[in-house]
Amino acid sequence: MDQLVAEDRLRRIPGKGTFVARPKVQMPKELVSFTEDMRSRGMRPGSVDLASRTVEADARLARFFGAEPGVSVHVLERLRLADGEPMAVERSHILASVAPGLFDRRPPDTSLFDALERGYGIVMDAGEQTIEAGPAGAADARLLAIAPGATVFLLRQRTFSRGLCVEVALATYRADRYRIHLGLEPPRRPITGLG
């Protein structure tokens, strides 16, 4: 039993018992949309639009874009689902100058990357992520059906098209449903002699 718990196949809940654990989803290492990622795992992706608005970026957000404060940015907040289960709360920020009228041209419950490609010819070709563990805030915890303060993955992603940062996404992912796996390479050693 201890081995199965260590392998994340069983889950112990003090005072209640031991239960079969739902398998965790591996965080993707490729630049793919949430929709594509869930479909590739044989899961049914879903999305609930929570809010959409266009704002002027504050200094911090503008810095992520490499732009001046006050630049116009579309903000799309969504609850991301897999087989109907809440997996993440995403807040995507898109430069308004590259996607004018985005909210009128993007059908609800569609991939944002698909909408940008089909509507504006924007193909995401590079990205970077920063992932930290932290506590879930009360609002995100309620949306994700977890306890406030439960451990979550806090993700910041910058996505680029032809060298331009088009999207900055700030997301809260359920840590009980995701795991991070990294391949490791040996350190590069300097070449000391050709003798």
Side-chain angles (χ1 to χ4, degrees):
M1 292 279 271
D2 289 338
Q3 181 65 31
L4 292 174
V5 170
E7 293 173 1
D8 288 330
R9 293 176 189 227
L10 294 178
R11 178 169 66 112
R12 286 195 178 117
I13 300 177
K16 293 190 177 182
T18 303
F19 303 89
V20 174
R22 291 172 293 186
K24 289 190 176 186
V25 175
Q26 185 76 29
M27 283 269 192
K29 291 189 267 186
E30 301 83 28
L31 181 58
V32 295
S33 70
F34 179 89
T35 301
E36 290 175 289
D37 183 39
M38 291 303 110
R39 283 188 182 137
S40 73
R41 299 171 192 282
M43 301 173 89
R44 189 181 79 258
S47 185
V48 177
D49 288 0
L50 302 172
S52 60
R53 61 194 176 282
T54 303
V55 301
E56 291 184 1
D58 61 17
R60 178 177 176 262
L61 182 58
R63 190 171 48 252
F64 290 143
F65 278 107
E68 293 294 320
V71 67
S72 188
V73 175
H74 298 310
V75 182
L76 177 60
E77 297 184 36
R78 296 174 290 171
L79 176 63
R80 308 312 301 266
L81 310 167
D83 291 337
E85 181 181 6
M87 299 291 276
V89 178
E90 289 184 352
R91 292 168 182 91
S92 296
H93 305 77
I94 301 96
L95 281 178
S97 60
V98 300
L102 175 65
F103 300 132
D104 295 328
R105 295 175 65 178
R106 177 190 159 266
D109 198 26
T110 60
S111 165
L112 178 58
F113 283 10
D114 281 350
L116 290 171
E117 184 172 352
R118 291 178 188 186
Y120 302 94
I122 298 169
V123 177
M124 302 301 199
D125 54 22
E128 62 184 29
Q129 285 184 343
T130 302
I131 303 171
E132 298 179 49
D140 283 357
R142 184 174 25 80
L143 290 166
L144 294 171
I146 58 175
T151 301
V152 291
F153 290 123
L154 303 171
L155 180 142
R156 184 181 71 229
Q157 177 173 301
R158 296 174 65 212
T159 315
F160 299 83
S161 177
R162 296 185 208 131
L164 175 69
C165 180
V166 172
E167 181 209 26
V168 174
L170 306 173
T172 303
Y173 278 74
R174 289 179 55 170
D176 66 331
R177 295 292 291 137
Y178 278 89
R179 78 173 73 213
I180 299 172
H181 175 83
L182 301 172
L184 300 177
E185 298 177 5
R188 292 191 175 147
R189 303 200 190 288
I191 301 172
T192 55
L194 301 176

Short mmCIF file of all heavy atoms in Angstrom, two decimals, residues 93-156:
data_model
loop_
_atom_site.label_atom_id
_atom_site.label_comp_id
_atom_site.label_asym_id
_atom_site.label_seq_id
_atom_site.Cartn_x
_atom_site.Cartn_y
_atom_site.Cartn_z
N HIS A 93 -3.64 37.64 -21.44
CA HIS A 93 -3.53 39.04 -21.82
C HIS A 93 -2.95 39.07 -23.23
O HIS A 93 -1.87 38.53 -23.46
CB HIS A 93 -2.60 39.79 -20.86
CG HIS A 93 -3.01 39.67 -19.43
ND1 HIS A 93 -2.77 38.54 -18.67
CD2 HIS A 93 -3.65 40.53 -18.62
CE1 HIS A 93 -3.25 38.72 -17.45
NE2 HIS A 93 -3.79 39.92 -17.40
N ILE A 94 -3.66 39.69 -24.18
CA ILE A 94 -3.25 39.70 -25.58
C ILE A 94 -3.13 41.15 -26.03
O ILE A 94 -4.03 41.97 -25.76
CB ILE A 94 -4.29 38.96 -26.47
CG1 ILE A 94 -4.46 37.50 -26.03
CG2 ILE A 94 -3.88 39.00 -27.93
CD1 ILE A 94 -5.61 37.30 -25.11
N LEU A 95 -2.04 41.47 -26.72
CA LEU A 95 -1.89 42.83 -27.24
C LEU A 95 -3.08 43.16 -28.14
O LEU A 95 -3.36 42.47 -29.12
CB LEU A 95 -0.61 42.95 -28.06
CG LEU A 95 0.70 43.09 -27.30
CD1 LEU A 95 1.87 43.14 -28.28
CD2 LEU A 95 0.70 44.33 -26.42
N ALA A 96 -3.81 44.22 -27.80
CA ALA A 96 -4.99 44.59 -28.58
C ALA A 96 -4.63 45.03 -29.99
O ALA A 96 -5.42 44.84 -30.92
CB ALA A 96 -5.76 45.69 -27.85
N SER A 97 -3.44 45.57 -30.18
CA SER A 97 -3.05 46.07 -31.50
C SER A 97 -2.92 44.96 -32.53
O SER A 97 -3.11 45.21 -33.72
CB SER A 97 -1.72 46.83 -31.40
OG SER A 97 -0.69 45.98 -30.93
N VAL A 98 -2.64 43.72 -32.10
CA VAL A 98 -2.49 42.61 -33.06
C VAL A 98 -3.79 41.83 -33.23
O VAL A 98 -3.90 41.02 -34.15
CB VAL A 98 -1.34 41.65 -32.66
CG1 VAL A 98 -0.02 42.38 -32.59
CG2 VAL A 98 -1.64 40.92 -31.36
N ALA A 99 -4.78 42.08 -32.36
CA ALA A 99 -6.05 41.34 -32.44
C ALA A 99 -7.23 42.27 -32.16
O ALA A 99 -7.97 42.06 -31.20
CB ALA A 99 -6.03 40.17 -31.46
N PRO A 100 -7.42 43.30 -33.01
CA PRO A 100 -8.55 44.20 -32.78
C PRO A 100 -9.88 43.45 -32.89
O PRO A 100 -10.03 42.58 -33.74
CB PRO A 100 -8.40 45.26 -33.89
CG PRO A 100 -7.51 44.64 -34.92
CD PRO A 100 -6.64 43.64 -34.21
N GLY A 101 -10.80 43.78 -32.01
CA GLY A 101 -12.12 43.15 -32.05
C GLY A 101 -12.11 41.68 -31.65
O GLY A 101 -13.02 40.94 -32.01
N LEU A 102 -11.11 41.24 -30.91
CA LEU A 102 -10.96 39.81 -30.57
C LEU A 102 -12.21 39.22 -29.94
O LEU A 102 -12.64 38.12 -30.32
CB LEU A 102 -9.76 39.62 -29.62
CG LEU A 102 -9.55 38.20 -29.09
CD1 LEU A 102 -9.21 37.25 -30.23
CD2 LEU A 102 -8.45 38.18 -28.03
N PHE A 103 -12.83 39.90 -29.01
CA PHE A 103 -13.96 39.32 -28.29
C PHE A 103 -15.19 39.16 -29.19
O PHE A 103 -16.02 38.29 -28.96
CB PHE A 103 -14.29 40.14 -27.05
CG PHE A 103 -13.14 40.22 -26.08
CD1 PHE A 103 -12.75 41.43 -25.53
CD2 PHE A 103 -12.42 39.08 -25.73
CE1 PHE A 103 -11.68 41.50 -24.64
CE2 PHE A 103 -11.35 39.14 -24.85
CZ PHE A 103 -10.98 40.36 -24.31
N ASP A 104 -15.30 39.98 -30.21
CA ASP A 104 -16.42 39.85 -31.15
C ASP A 104 -16.15 38.75 -32.19
O ASP A 104 -17.08 38.18 -32.74
CB ASP A 104 -16.67 41.17 -31.89
CG ASP A 104 -17.12 42.27 -30.95
OD1 ASP A 104 -17.81 41.94 -29.95
OD2 ASP A 104 -16.77 43.44 -31.18
N ARG A 105 -14.87 38.46 -32.43
CA ARG A 105 -14.51 37.51 -33.50
C ARG A 105 -14.20 36.11 -32.98
O ARG A 105 -14.06 35.19 -33.78
CB ARG A 105 -13.30 38.05 -34.26
CG ARG A 105 -13.63 39.34 -34.99
CD ARG A 105 -12.46 39.96 -35.66
NE ARG A 105 -11.94 39.12 -36.74
CZ ARG A 105 -10.92 39.47 -37.50
NH1 ARG A 105 -10.32 40.63 -37.32
NH2 ARG A 105 -10.49 38.67 -38.44
N ARG A 106 -14.06 35.94 -31.66
CA ARG A 106 -13.74 34.63 -31.09
C ARG A 106 -15.00 34.00 -30.51
O ARG A 106 -15.55 34.49 -29.53
CB ARG A 106 -12.70 34.78 -29.98
CG ARG A 106 -12.38 33.46 -29.29
CD ARG A 106 -11.53 33.69 -28.03
NE ARG A 106 -11.67 32.54 -27.18
CZ ARG A 106 -12.56 32.42 -26.19
NH1 ARG A 106 -13.38 33.39 -25.90
NH2 ARG A 106 -12.61 31.31 -25.48
N PRO A 107 -15.45 32.87 -31.08
CA PRO A 107 -16.61 32.19 -30.49
C PRO A 107 -16.26 31.68 -29.09
O PRO A 107 -15.14 31.26 -28.84
CB PRO A 107 -16.87 31.02 -31.45
CG PRO A 107 -16.14 31.35 -32.71
CD PRO A 107 -14.97 32.20 -32.29
N PRO A 108 -17.22 31.71 -28.16
CA PRO A 108 -16.96 31.18 -26.82
C PRO A 108 -16.55 29.70 -26.88
O PRO A 108 -16.93 28.99 -27.80
CB PRO A 108 -18.29 31.34 -26.09
CG PRO A 108 -19.07 32.32 -26.89
CD PRO A 108 -18.57 32.22 -28.30
N ASP A 109 -15.80 29.27 -25.90
CA ASP A 109 -15.39 27.88 -25.75
C ASP A 109 -14.56 27.39 -26.94
O ASP A 109 -14.68 26.26 -27.38
CB ASP A 109 -16.60 26.96 -25.53
CG ASP A 109 -16.18 25.61 -24.95
OD1 ASP A 109 -15.13 25.53 -24.30
OD2 ASP A 109 -16.91 24.62 -25.19
N THR A 110 -13.74 28.29 -27.50
CA THR A 110 -12.81 27.88 -28.56
C THR A 110 -11.39 28.20 -28.12
O THR A 110 -11.17 29.06 -27.28
CB THR A 110 -13.09 28.62 -29.88
OG1 THR A 110 -12.95 30.02 -29.67
CG2 THR A 110 -14.47 28.32 -30.41
N SER A 111 -10.45 27.51 -28.71
CA SER A 111 -9.04 27.72 -28.41
C SER A 111 -8.63 29.15 -28.78
O SER A 111 -8.90 29.61 -29.89
CB SER A 111 -8.19 26.72 -29.19
OG SER A 111 -6.83 27.12 -29.19
N LEU A 112 -8.00 29.84 -27.85
CA LEU A 112 -7.52 31.19 -28.12
C LEU A 112 -6.46 31.18 -29.21
O LEU A 112 -6.46 32.02 -30.10
CB LEU A 112 -6.97 31.81 -26.83
CG LEU A 112 -6.39 33.21 -26.93
CD1 LEU A 112 -7.43 34.19 -27.45
CD2 LEU A 112 -5.87 33.66 -25.57
N PHE A 113 -5.55 30.21 -29.17
CA PHE A 113 -4.52 30.11 -30.20
C PHE A 113 -5.15 29.91 -31.58
O PHE A 113 -4.71 30.51 -32.56
CB PHE A 113 -3.55 28.97 -29.90
CG PHE A 113 -2.53 29.27 -28.82
CD1 PHE A 113 -2.61 30.40 -28.03
CD2 PHE A 113 -1.49 28.39 -28.59
CE1 PHE A 113 -1.67 30.67 -27.04
CE2 PHE A 113 -0.54 28.65 -27.60
CZ PHE A 113 -0.63 29.78 -26.83
N ASP A 114 -6.20 29.07 -31.66
CA ASP A 114 -6.89 28.86 -32.94
C ASP A 114 -7.54 30.16 -33.41
O ASP A 114 -7.49 30.50 -34.60
CB ASP A 114 -7.96 27.77 -32.82
CG ASP A 114 -7.39 26.36 -32.86
OD1 ASP A 114 -6.19 26.21 -33.16
OD2 ASP A 114 -8.16 25.42 -32.58
N ALA A 115 -8.18 30.87 -32.49
CA ALA A 115 -8.84 32.13 -32.86
C ALA A 115 -7.84 33.15 -33.37
O ALA A 115 -8.11 33.86 -34.34
CB ALA A 115 -9.61 32.68 -31.66
N LEU A 116 -6.67 33.22 -32.74
CA LEU A 116 -5.65 34.17 -33.18
C LEU A 116 -5.10 33.77 -34.55
O LEU A 116 -4.84 34.63 -35.40
CB LEU A 116 -4.52 34.25 -32.15
CG LEU A 116 -4.90 34.94 -30.84
CD1 LEU A 116 -3.78 34.78 -29.81
CD2 LEU A 116 -5.21 36.42 -31.06
N GLU A 117 -4.93 32.47 -34.77
CA GLU A 117 -4.40 32.02 -36.06
C GLU A 117 -5.42 32.22 -37.17
O GLU A 117 -5.10 32.76 -38.23
CB GLU A 117 -3.98 30.56 -35.98
CG GLU A 117 -3.32 30.06 -37.25
CD GLU A 117 -2.73 28.66 -37.13
OE1 GLU A 117 -2.68 28.12 -36.00
OE2 GLU A 117 -2.32 28.13 -38.17
N ARG A 118 -6.66 31.80 -36.94
CA ARG A 118 -7.68 31.88 -37.99
C ARG A 118 -8.13 33.32 -38.25
O ARG A 118 -8.37 33.69 -39.40
CB ARG A 118 -8.89 31.03 -37.61
CG ARG A 118 -8.59 29.56 -37.65
CD ARG A 118 -9.77 28.74 -37.24
NE ARG A 118 -9.37 27.34 -37.12
CZ ARG A 118 -10.20 26.37 -36.90
NH1 ARG A 118 -11.48 26.59 -36.76
NH2 ARG A 118 -9.76 25.12 -36.79
N GLY A 119 -8.26 34.09 -37.20
CA GLY A 119 -8.79 35.45 -37.37
C GLY A 119 -7.76 36.50 -37.72
O GLY A 119 -8.08 37.52 -38.34
N TYR A 120 -6.49 36.25 -37.31
CA TYR A 120 -5.48 37.30 -37.45
C TYR A 120 -4.17 36.82 -38.08
O TYR A 120 -3.24 37.61 -38.24
CB TYR A 120 -5.18 37.93 -36.08
CG TYR A 120 -6.42 38.50 -35.43
CD1 TYR A 120 -7.16 37.74 -34.53
CD2 TYR A 120 -6.87 39.78 -35.73
CE1 TYR A 120 -8.31 38.26 -33.93
CE2 TYR A 120 -8.01 40.30 -35.15
CZ TYR A 120 -8.73 39.53 -34.25
OH TYR A 120 -9.86 40.05 -33.68
N GLY A 121 -4.08 35.53 -38.39
CA GLY A 121 -2.85 35.01 -38.98
C GLY A 121 -1.69 34.94 -38.01
O GLY A 121 -0.53 34.86 -38.42
N ILE A 122 -1.99 34.97 -36.71
CA ILE A 122 -0.93 34.92 -35.69
C ILE A 122 -0.66 33.47 -35.31
O ILE A 122 -1.54 32.79 -34.78
CB ILE A 122 -1.34 35.73 -34.43
CG1 ILE A 122 -1.53 37.20 -34.79
CG2 ILE A 122 -0.31 35.56 -33.33
CD1 ILE A 122 -2.19 38.01 -33.70
N VAL A 123 0.54 33.00 -35.59
CA VAL A 123 0.94 31.64 -35.24
C VAL A 123 1.96 31.75 -34.11
O VAL A 123 3.01 32.38 -34.27
CB VAL A 123 1.56 30.90 -36.45
CG1 VAL A 123 2.04 29.51 -36.04
CG2 VAL A 123 0.54 30.81 -37.58
N MET A 124 1.64 31.15 -32.98
CA MET A 124 2.57 31.16 -31.85
C MET A 124 3.73 30.22 -32.16
O MET A 124 3.52 29.04 -32.43
CB MET A 124 1.86 30.73 -30.57
CG MET A 124 0.66 31.59 -30.22
SD MET A 124 1.07 33.32 -29.99
CE MET A 124 -0.34 33.88 -29.07
N ASP A 125 4.97 30.75 -32.13
CA ASP A 125 6.11 29.93 -32.52
C ASP A 125 7.19 29.82 -31.45
O ASP A 125 8.19 29.14 -31.64
CB ASP A 125 6.71 30.45 -33.83
CG ASP A 125 7.07 31.93 -33.79
OD1 ASP A 125 7.26 32.48 -32.69
OD2 ASP A 125 7.12 32.54 -34.87
N ALA A 126 7.00 30.47 -30.31
CA ALA A 126 7.96 30.36 -29.21
C ALA A 126 7.27 30.78 -27.92
O ALA A 126 6.24 31.47 -27.94
CB ALA A 126 9.18 31.24 -29.46
N GLY A 127 7.83 30.34 -26.81
CA GLY A 127 7.25 30.72 -25.53
C GLY A 127 8.19 30.40 -24.39
O GLY A 127 9.22 29.73 -24.57
N GLU A 128 7.84 30.93 -23.22
CA GLU A 128 8.60 30.64 -22.01
C GLU A 128 7.63 30.61 -20.84
O GLU A 128 6.61 31.31 -20.86
CB GLU A 128 9.70 31.68 -21.78
CG GLU A 128 9.18 33.10 -21.60
CD GLU A 128 10.27 34.14 -21.47
OE1 GLU A 128 11.36 33.92 -22.04
OE2 GLU A 128 10.03 35.16 -20.81
N GLN A 129 7.93 29.75 -19.87
CA GLN A 129 7.07 29.60 -18.70
C GLN A 129 7.89 29.71 -17.43
O GLN A 129 9.03 29.27 -17.38
CB GLN A 129 6.40 28.23 -18.68
CG GLN A 129 5.30 28.02 -19.63
CD GLN A 129 4.64 26.66 -19.45
OE1 GLN A 129 5.19 25.75 -18.83
NE2 GLN A 129 3.45 26.50 -20.01
N THR A 130 7.25 30.27 -16.42
CA THR A 130 7.76 30.23 -15.05
C THR A 130 6.67 29.58 -14.22
O THR A 130 5.50 29.99 -14.30
CB THR A 130 8.05 31.64 -14.53
OG1 THR A 130 8.98 32.28 -15.40
CG2 THR A 130 8.60 31.61 -13.11
N ILE A 131 7.03 28.55 -13.45
CA ILE A 131 6.06 27.83 -12.63
C ILE A 131 6.53 27.83 -11.19
O ILE A 131 7.68 27.48 -10.91
CB ILE A 131 5.87 26.38 -13.11
CG1 ILE A 131 5.44 26.35 -14.58
CG2 ILE A 131 4.85 25.64 -12.25
CD1 ILE A 131 5.44 24.97 -15.21
N GLU A 132 5.65 28.24 -10.29
CA GLU A 132 5.95 28.22 -8.85
C GLU A 132 4.81 27.53 -8.12
O GLU A 132 3.67 27.57 -8.59
CB GLU A 132 6.07 29.65 -8.31
CG GLU A 132 7.16 30.48 -8.90
CD GLU A 132 7.18 31.88 -8.31
OE1 GLU A 132 7.15 32.00 -7.06
OE2 GLU A 132 7.21 32.84 -9.08
N ALA A 133 5.11 26.94 -6.99
CA ALA A 133 4.08 26.41 -6.12
C ALA A 133 3.63 27.51 -5.17
O ALA A 133 4.44 28.35 -4.75
CB ALA A 133 4.60 25.21 -5.33
N GLY A 134 2.35 27.54 -4.85
CA GLY A 134 1.84 28.54 -3.93
C GLY A 134 0.46 28.17 -3.46
O GLY A 134 -0.12 27.16 -3.90
N PRO A 135 -0.11 28.98 -2.57
CA PRO A 135 -1.46 28.70 -2.06
C PRO A 135 -2.54 29.25 -2.99
O PRO A 135 -2.36 30.31 -3.59
CB PRO A 135 -1.48 29.43 -0.72
CG PRO A 135 -0.53 30.58 -0.91
CD PRO A 135 0.53 30.10 -1.87
N ALA A 136 -3.64 28.55 -3.09
CA ALA A 136 -4.77 29.01 -3.90
C ALA A 136 -5.49 30.13 -3.17
O ALA A 136 -5.79 30.02 -1.99
CB ALA A 136 -5.73 27.86 -4.15
N GLY A 137 -5.76 31.21 -3.89
CA GLY A 137 -6.59 32.27 -3.35
C GLY A 137 -8.04 31.80 -3.26
O GLY A 137 -8.43 30.83 -3.92
N ALA A 138 -8.84 32.49 -2.48
CA ALA A 138 -10.22 32.05 -2.24
C ALA A 138 -11.04 31.97 -3.53
O ALA A 138 -11.77 31.00 -3.75
CB ALA A 138 -10.90 32.99 -1.24
N ALA A 139 -10.92 32.97 -4.41
CA ALA A 139 -11.74 32.98 -5.64
C ALA A 139 -11.35 31.83 -6.56
O ALA A 139 -12.21 31.11 -7.07
CB ALA A 139 -11.59 34.32 -6.35
N ASP A 140 -10.03 31.64 -6.78
CA ASP A 140 -9.58 30.55 -7.66
C ASP A 140 -9.91 29.19 -7.04
O ASP A 140 -10.29 28.26 -7.74
CB ASP A 140 -8.08 30.65 -7.95
CG ASP A 140 -7.77 31.73 -8.98
OD1 ASP A 140 -8.71 32.35 -9.51
OD2 ASP A 140 -6.57 31.94 -9.26
N ALA A 141 -9.76 29.07 -5.72
CA ALA A 141 -10.06 27.80 -5.05
C ALA A 141 -11.52 27.42 -5.26
O ALA A 141 -11.84 26.26 -5.54
CB ALA A 141 -9.74 27.90 -3.56
N ARG A 142 -12.41 28.39 -5.16
CA ARG A 142 -13.84 28.10 -5.37
C ARG A 142 -14.08 27.61 -6.79
O ARG A 142 -14.78 26.62 -7.01
CB ARG A 142 -14.65 29.37 -5.09
CG ARG A 142 -16.14 29.18 -5.18
CD ARG A 142 -16.95 30.43 -4.75
NE ARG A 142 -16.27 31.70 -4.87
CZ ARG A 142 -16.13 32.39 -6.02
NH1 ARG A 142 -16.63 31.92 -7.14
NH2 ARG A 142 -15.52 33.56 -6.02
N LEU A 143 -13.47 28.26 -7.78
CA LEU A 143 -13.64 27.86 -9.18
C LEU A 143 -13.07 26.47 -9.44
O LEU A 143 -13.61 25.69 -10.22
CB LEU A 143 -12.98 28.87 -10.11
CG LEU A 143 -13.65 30.23 -10.20
CD1 LEU A 143 -12.73 31.25 -10.86
CD2 LEU A 143 -14.98 30.12 -10.95
N LEU A 144 -11.94 26.15 -8.78
CA LEU A 144 -11.25 24.88 -9.00
C LEU A 144 -11.78 23.76 -8.11
O LEU A 144 -11.31 22.63 -8.21
CB LEU A 144 -9.75 25.06 -8.78
CG LEU A 144 -9.05 25.98 -9.78
CD1 LEU A 144 -7.62 26.25 -9.34
CD2 LEU A 144 -9.08 25.36 -11.18
N ALA A 145 -12.73 24.06 -7.23
CA ALA A 145 -13.32 23.07 -6.33
C ALA A 145 -12.26 22.45 -5.41
O ALA A 145 -12.20 21.25 -5.22
CB ALA A 145 -14.07 21.98 -7.10
N ILE A 146 -11.38 23.31 -4.87
CA ILE A 146 -10.37 22.89 -3.90
C ILE A 146 -10.46 23.81 -2.69
O ILE A 146 -11.13 24.84 -2.74
CB ILE A 146 -8.94 22.93 -4.50
CG1 ILE A 146 -8.59 24.34 -5.00
CG2 ILE A 146 -8.80 21.91 -5.63
CD1 ILE A 146 -7.16 24.49 -5.51
N ALA A 147 -9.79 23.43 -1.62
CA ALA A 147 -9.83 24.23 -0.40
C ALA A 147 -9.01 25.51 -0.56
O ALA A 147 -7.93 25.48 -1.17
CB ALA A 147 -9.28 23.42 0.78
N PRO A 148 -9.48 26.64 -0.04
CA PRO A 148 -8.65 27.85 -0.05
C PRO A 148 -7.32 27.57 0.63
O PRO A 148 -7.27 26.91 1.66
CB PRO A 148 -9.48 28.86 0.75
CG PRO A 148 -10.88 28.36 0.66
CD PRO A 148 -10.78 26.86 0.60
N GLY A 149 -6.25 28.05 0.04
CA GLY A 149 -4.93 27.81 0.60
C GLY A 149 -4.29 26.51 0.15
O GLY A 149 -3.12 26.25 0.43
N ALA A 150 -5.05 25.64 -0.57
CA ALA A 150 -4.47 24.39 -1.09
C ALA A 150 -3.33 24.73 -2.04
O ALA A 150 -3.33 25.77 -2.69
CB ALA A 150 -5.54 23.57 -1.80
N THR A 151 -2.36 23.85 -2.13
CA THR A 151 -1.22 24.09 -3.01
C THR A 151 -1.65 24.01 -4.47
O THR A 151 -2.35 23.10 -4.88
CB THR A 151 -0.11 23.05 -2.74
OG1 THR A 151 0.29 23.17 -1.37
CG2 THR A 151 1.10 23.31 -3.62
N VAL A 152 -1.21 25.00 -5.23
CA VAL A 152 -1.47 25.06 -6.67
C VAL A 152 -0.16 25.41 -7.38
O VAL A 152 0.81 25.83 -6.75
CB VAL A 152 -2.54 26.12 -7.01
CG1 VAL A 152 -3.92 25.70 -6.50
CG2 VAL A 152 -2.16 27.50 -6.48
N PHE A 153 -0.16 25.21 -8.70
CA PHE A 153 0.94 25.70 -9.52
C PHE A 153 0.53 27.05 -10.08
O PHE A 153 -0.54 27.19 -10.68
CB PHE A 153 1.25 24.75 -10.68
CG PHE A 153 1.87 23.45 -10.26
CD1 PHE A 153 1.28 22.25 -10.59
CD2 PHE A 153 3.05 23.43 -9.53
CE1 PHE A 153 1.85 21.05 -10.21
CE2 PHE A 153 3.63 22.24 -9.15
CZ PHE A 153 3.04 21.04 -9.48
N LEU A 154 1.36 28.06 -9.84
CA LEU A 154 1.13 29.40 -10.38
C LEU A 154 2.03 29.55 -11.60
O LEU A 154 3.25 29.47 -11.48
CB LEU A 154 1.45 30.45 -9.32
CG LEU A 154 0.66 30.30 -8.02
CD1 LEU A 154 1.19 31.23 -6.95
CD2 LEU A 154 -0.82 30.54 -8.26
N LEU A 155 1.43 29.72 -12.74
CA LEU A 155 2.16 29.70 -14.00
C LEU A 155 2.10 31.07 -14.67
O LEU A 155 1.04 31.70 -14.70
CB LEU A 155 1.54 28.65 -14.91
CG LEU A 155 2.13 28.46 -16.30
CD1 LEU A 155 2.11 26.98 -16.65
CD2 LEU A 155 1.32 29.24 -17.32
N ARG A 156 3.25 31.53 -15.15
CA ARG A 156 3.30 32.73 -15.99
C ARG A 156 3.91 32.31 -17.31
O ARG A 156 5.00 31.73 -17.33
CB ARG A 156 4.13 33.83 -15.35
CG ARG A 156 4.11 35.12 -16.18
CD ARG A 156 4.96 36.22 -15.59
NE ARG A 156 6.37 35.89 -15.73
CZ ARG A 156 7.26 35.95 -14.76
NH1 ARG A 156 6.91 36.33 -13.55
NH2 ARG A 156 8.52 35.63 -14.97
#
